[in-house]
Amino acid sequence: MARPGITRRRALSAGLWTALAGVTASACADDVRSDADGPLTLWSALRGTDTLVAAWNELHPEEPVDFSPMTSGLAGGNAKLSNAARAGNAPDIVTLVDADLPSFAIDGVCADLTDLVTPRLRERLGPQAWTNGVLGGRTYGIPVDLGPMLFAYREDILTRNRIEPPGTWEEFGEAAGRLKRDAGVDLATFHPNAYNVLAGHTMQSGGQWFAIEDDTWVLDFLGGPTRRVAEFWQGLVDGKRLMFAPGSSQQWLSALARGQVASHLVGPWGLAALVRSVPGTTGRWRVAPLPRWDGGEDVVGTDGVSVHAITAGSRKKRRAMRFLEWMTTSPEAITARLSGGRSSILPADAGLVANASREFDTAFFGGQDVYRLVADQAQLLRTGWTWGPRMQATATSLHQGLARLEYGTTITEALRTAQSETLPDMRSLGLSVRQA
């Protein structure tokens, strides 16, 4: 599919996204002009997609969408998509975590959508959302949600122990020590399989793991802001002031249900998951802003958001974009997604926040106006973060290192190993890479 004079290797090593965009746009121009017949196909692991698609199909029976659920990226979804793309049977539309978009864009799985995005859609979603879908000035993903990190906590446990929701990370550390000492309860959990959470803390602190300078990728997993994050959490782990357990594990969920863990640091998408995971604690939870660094900027990081990509091989790109614009800007769409109580995403379109708030059942959080708080925190999201081109490999390396914390490895050592293993992996793609 490459046009004469531009190979994939050259696109990766010089000009990066700009050259890649030229390849993709040229190769797929004919597909855009000639939408094929038949239903659109959509693969997604995002909760509430089934009810959303059902709503679309009822409103638009002439342009049906066939929905197939898939597992999340690291759980096998990424491999499934890669295999399907190689075999020529990828879906028209696929949901990706923002961290995985660069990899699939580089591999040519995602189409360049820049010229298909309408001015209305560009304006409705706003710059903070587009940060997650734009690479090198070109659009490869349509943002669905915003994901400011939050502090969800057991109000009953903190009140009983005379602890206020911490406003700073220093207060968070002190509260963790007091709660463990006085009540034998862990304030929070360190999840060794949650690279996205560690990345979110790094965003807030001002760090940048990946950057692009001219035509060269720069890796900086060990810079001052990241070290600050690593040393803070290392101190809590070493002092046994936190639970240490994989996210979504039965060990962790059981501790939450029993009140042995008093908070959860997560993005908006995780609030509905919390409701479903520990229903026996309804009414006892509240949500507060994430603690801030003393003397730092009033910013928050992102805990995983989703984008929708149209695959390069799709022959239904214009129809796919009509569906995606409806999905991301229509009140009917966000209402349908949240209607089953399985989703709590903060829509990227600020105009839909009120609709989402009305649909979300706040009983679990004691009637708190959760969406007002979440929307306010989204205004403080840091922009400009860049994900690496092979985040699945980077994440796997980091998870392996963090899993060894119980055996003497440190967070800093896990970051150092992840950087050292990411460097040759990126160079094997033909990329120019150096360490900061």
Side-chain angles (χ1 to χ4, degrees):
M1 289 177 64
R3 67 187 183 193
I6 297 184
T7 65
R8 178 174 178 274
R9 182 178 180 87
R10 180 179 165 198
L12 290 170
S13 60
L16 203 62
W17 302 115
T18 302
L20 180 62
V23 175
T24 307
S26 174
C28 300
D30 291 340
D31 293 343
V32 171
R33 287 194 295 267
S34 55
D35 270 17
D37 294 330
L40 287 168
T41 52
L42 165 64
W43 291 0
S44 180
L46 198 58
R47 294 183 181 94
T49 301
D50 54 345
T51 52
L52 180 145
V53 169
W56 165 271
N57 286 340
E58 183 175 351
L59 292 169
H60 304 88
E62 74 287 356
E63 294 188 348
V65 174
D66 283 347
F67 165 62
S68 295
M70 65 187 295
T71 56
S72 60
L74 288 176
N78 287 348
K80 178 181 179 181
L81 177 60
S82 294
N83 292 335
R86 281 194 293 269
N89 55 15
D92 295 299
I93 306 170
V94 65
T95 306
L96 299 172
V97 175
D98 59 333
D100 293 328
L101 183 63
S103 174
F104 285 108
I106 278 181
D107 284 346
V109 175
C110 302
D112 180 347
L113 307 178
T114 307
D115 296 336
L116 292 177
V117 177
T118 66
R120 173 183 178 274
L121 181 59
R122 187 77 64 185
E123 182 179 357
R124 288 285 295 267
L125 300 192
Q128 288 168 314
W130 286 112
T131 292
N132 305 313
V134 174
L135 306 168
R138 310 295 295 183
T139 301
Y140 291 90
I142 306 302
V144 180
D145 59 332
L146 296 172
M149 292 186 68
L150 306 163
F151 177 69
Y153 65 97
R154 282 282 297 271
E155 183 186 46
D156 57 329
I157 295 175
L158 265 60
T159 298
R160 187 163 60 244
N161 289 279
R162 297 184 297 281
I163 295 174
E164 295 290 330
T168 68
W169 287 113
E170 182 180 3
E171 292 173 355
F172 180 93
E174 292 171 353
R178 281 181 53 197
L179 192 61
K180 191 62 176 281
R181 181 183 64 250
D182 297 344
V185 173
D186 292 307
L187 178 60
T189 309
F190 186 90
H191 299 304
N193 62 339
Y195 79 94
N196 52 303
V197 174
L198 190 59
H201 291 315
T202 301
M203 293 178 206
Q204 185 190 33
S205 71
Q208 186 82 20
W209 290 352
F210 297 89
I212 301 172
E213 296 181 3
D214 298 322
D215 289 342
T216 299
W217 286 84
V218 181
L219 306 189
D220 190 8
F221 289 27
L222 300 168
T226 306
R227 283 182 178 273
R228 182 183 194 183
V229 170
E231 290 168 3
F232 174 79
W233 289 99
Q234 189 68 52
L236 296 180
V237 170
D238 290 346
K240 301 189 183 303
R241 287 180 282 171
L242 297 172
M243 182 179 190
F244 186 89
S248 299
S249 66
Q250 189 56 47
Q251 175 191 7
W252 174 62
L253 293 173
S254 177
L256 280 179
R258 298 194 317 270
Q260 291 301 304
V261 176
S263 75
H264 182 32
L265 307 179
V266 72
W269 61 267
L271 299 180
L274 190 62
V275 174
R276 295 173 66 84
S277 297
V278 286
T281 58
T282 293
R284 304 175 194 175
W285 289 84
R286 301 291 184 273
V287 184
L290 194 74
R292 307 296 203 253
W293 293 106
D294 285 324
E297 291 185 73
D298 189 17
V299 297
V300 292
T302 294
D303 175 26
V305 292
S306 297
V307 298
H308 281 84
I310 299 175
T311 57
S314 171
R315 295 293 304 275
K316 307 164 191 172
K317 292 184 176 66
R318 291 192 183 280
R319 289 167 52 199
M321 276 302 304
R322 286 197 294 273
F323 170 72
L324 292 181
E325 183 158 351
W326 176 85
M327 173 191 285
T328 52
T329 65
S330 166
E332 293 86 356
I334 193 64
T335 296
R337 184 181 292 282
L338 269 64
S339 63
R342 292 170 296 152
S343 176
S344 54
I345 65 170
L346 175 68
D349 182 350
L352 300 185
V353 172
N355 300 87
S357 180
R358 284 193 295 271
E359 197 65 33
F360 183 69
D361 185 354
T362 61
F364 186 85
F365 298 98
Q368 180 185 0
D369 189 349
V370 173
Y371 266 88
R372 179 187 295 273
L373 169 67
V374 173
D376 288 344
Q377 292 303 296
Q379 300 302 310
L380 303 173
L381 278 166
R382 177 184 167 188
T383 58
W385 176 267
T386 299
W387 290 108
R390 281 293 181 267
M391 277 310 301
Q392 178 151 339
T394 300
T396 298
S397 175
L398 191 51
H399 287 170
Q400 289 173 347
L402 295 175
R404 293 193 287 268
L405 291 186
E406 290 184 303
Y407 306 101
T409 297
T410 66
I411 299 172
T412 298
E413 289 170 348
L415 286 162
R416 180 178 292 108
T417 299
Q419 176 169 291
S420 67
E421 292 180 351
T422 297
L423 193 70
D425 185 53
M426 290 175 65
R427 284 175 175 162
S428 70
L429 296 173
L431 294 169
S432 173
V433 191
R434 66 176 176 83
Q435 299 182 85

